[in-house]
Amino acid sequence: MAAPCSCHGCWLLLLLLLLLAAAGALGAEGASLVIVQLDAESLLPSAAAASCHTPEQRPEAGTATRMPIVHQHGPCSPLADDKHGKKAPSHTEILVADQRRVEYIHRRVSETTGRVRRQKHSAPVVELRPGTPSSTRSSSSSLSSSATSTNLPAKSGLSLNTGNYVVPIRLGTPAARFTVVFDTGSDTTWVQCQPCVAYCYQQKEPLFTPTKSATYANISCTSSYCSDLDTRGCSGGHCLYAVQYGDGSYTVGFYAQDTLTLGYDTVKDFRFGCGEKNRGLFGKAAGLMGLGRGKTSVPVQAYDKYSGVFAYCIPATSSGTGFLDFGPGAPAAANARLTPMLVDNGPTFYYVGMTGIKVGGHLLSIPATVFSDAGALVDSGTVITRLPPSAYEPLRSAFAKGMEGLGYKTAPAFSILDTCYDLTGYQGSIALPAVSLVFQGGACLDVDASGILYVADVSQACLAFAANDDDTDMTIVGNTQQKTYSVLYDLGKKVVGFAPGAC
């Protein structure tokens, strides 16, 4: 009786050895591949699955003030209901605009840091030629006739067609609500104002009317605040601002001050652009909130109130809701993985030191100089993370090898994305090779499963990374890879942090 049992044990052992050998045949990468799980239903989120409940929170002692952020074109957005038949941009349009934004960032970095690039273009000029001012606003506070001969050399800003995420603010006394794009790559906050001297683009909400606010005031040309602007002019003794963006969009108007309300918190005498001549690809948002490091930005102006600290969380899908926090009491600040903010690299942008990339749990063999020579920044408005070619190619190769081992069918390239897969028919959880970005100080951004692929269609889901033109162009960590993380910025402590699973 013992022999058959012993023999049966041998067969079981032999079967186990054969299974182990088969696993080994997948290669070292396949055998030890660290994977993450993506919900197949999240590939193309629907309005029915929307979760739109992240209320503004009244700040308490030691806590941050919180506002909801949503995808501009998602079902939770107050801008989504379009009675004029205006369609949201296609994936192709989004990625084309994203590329324009990236090209601008690279140009601006080269201008502010002295890095040499192939070709630089001089900044375009915005010429102020107002039409007939509205009678509802006095001539002393409208673009006067003297402004017709004023040329403001506009510093190029950013292409806002990729300003995917919006946040509610209130402005004036009594406070009027506006939905604006939030952008860590810009400094000056602005909204469209009445009267539109020449024209305003079509926004969803009513324009801001300065004459209805008891606390509105234009800023004088002689004020030191006017000197804080990159581009400024003067009309009737009042300071003018102008910003032209990388796609040709622009905003021009008065630099003014009024009470800004963030959640239940107020920032008095907040300086912003009151745009009376605006045109471009701003969607239906009322304007922009600048969260950069320049003197005109929200975190710098409100430094005494919030200590230069803010954090945001971008939701996993366009059907979800994230948040924007101001103040050191932000819940995610306690467990954020911190990396130094490299403030000497140049103004405005949030520079960090990237040191490596992991795929499937394995650190890729990329020379440290590839990252240190190019430099890196974190940006809320760039969609797709850009890498030096010498870093992107190993990432692409390792990810493709992992996907091949997992049995996925490849698909044609889409726009700037060259590593794509057909996920038609998959249900439940979809296994993907884990991707992690490593930064100075040991901080690691383990990309959420929702941030690894950019899904143009179920049959064309692509690795959400792209290569720069060459290794001298800066790495840009885009908002797709930031999904579900609370991304913390602390100007006082000069750190950037990543806290997982925040929204």
Side-chain angles (χ1 to χ4, degrees), residues 158-436:
L158 304 178
S159 171
L160 292 187
N161 200 31
T162 56
N164 291 349
Y165 297 94
V166 293
V167 62
I169 63 170
R170 295 178 181 87
L171 193 62
T173 306
R177 179 186 169 104
F178 301 96
T179 302
V180 296
V181 172
F182 79 94
D183 188 7
T184 60
S186 298
D187 293 324
T188 302
T189 297
W190 60 268
V191 295
Q192 293 198 112
C193 287
Q194 289 280 17
C196 284
V197 185
Y199 33 71
C200 284
Y201 63 88
Q202 188 178 72
Q203 68 181 55
K204 179 70 176 295
E205 300 148 337
L207 274 61
F208 177 66
T209 304
T211 55
K212 293 183 178 179
S213 174
T215 47
Y216 177 91
N218 284 331
I219 290 174
S220 168
C221 294
T222 59
S223 170
S224 61
Y225 294 139
C226 190
S227 301
D228 291 340
L229 294 165
D230 286 335
T231 304
R232 56 191 178 273
C234 192
S235 177
H238 301 296
C239 183
L240 299 176
Y241 81 98
V243 182
Q244 181 155 339
Y245 295 89
D247 59 3
S249 304
Y250 60 83
T251 174
V252 180
F254 286 96
Y255 197 43
Q257 65 182 33
D258 209 332
T259 298
L260 172 68
T261 303
L262 304 172
Y264 291 92
D265 221 348
T266 58
V267 180
K268 295 183 178 180
D269 300 327
F270 176 76
R271 299 177 297 283
F272 68 102
C274 194
E276 295 188 3
K277 183 177 181 182
N278 319 285
R279 176 169 284 180
L281 301 174
F282 302 111
K284 292 173 287 182
L288 176 143
M289 176 192 286
L291 295 176
R293 294 193 293 116
K295 292 181 180 179
T296 64
S297 73
V298 174
V300 173
Q301 285 197 53
Y303 192 92
D304 290 344
K305 180 180 288 289
Y306 300 123
S307 302
V309 178
F310 70 96
Y312 59 78
C313 186
I314 294 172
T317 73
S318 60
S319 298
T321 304
F323 60 78
L324 174 62
D325 288 344
F326 284 98
N335 65 336
R337 306 163 182 172
L338 303 177
T339 188
M341 183 187 298
L342 306 181
V343 296
D344 294 332
N345 283 27
T348 299
F349 299 122
Y350 289 97
Y351 298 98
V352 293
M354 191 168 170
T355 60
I357 301 174
K358 294 180 180 180
V359 174
H362 301 279
L363 186 65
L364 301 180
S365 180
I366 304 172
T369 54
V370 170
F371 297 110
S372 60
D373 290 348
L377 60 87
V378 181
D379 182 42
S380 69
T382 298
V383 178
I384 301 297
T385 289
R386 299 307 203 282
L387 297 169
S390 294
Y392 175 72
E393 288 303 325
L395 165 65
R396 175 183 180 276
S397 176
F399 185 80
K401 185 177 293 185
M403 292 292 279
E404 181 182 7
L406 292 168
Y408 292 105
K409 179 183 176 181
T410 60
F414 180 80
S415 184
I416 59 173
L417 308 176
D418 62 12
T419 307
C420 303
Y421 299 89
D422 185 350
L423 301 181
T424 302
Y426 282 90
Q427 297 180 349
S429 293
I430 297 174
L432 301 174
V435 178
S436 302

Side-chain angles (χ1 to χ4, degrees), residues 63-86:
T63 65
T65 186
R66 171 167 291 189
M67 297 170 290
I69 65 170
V70 297
H71 194 285
Q72 175 170 184
H73 305 295
C76 296
S77 172
L79 309 181
D81 180 22
D82 193 347
K83 298 179 181 179
H84 303 282
K86 188 175 181 180

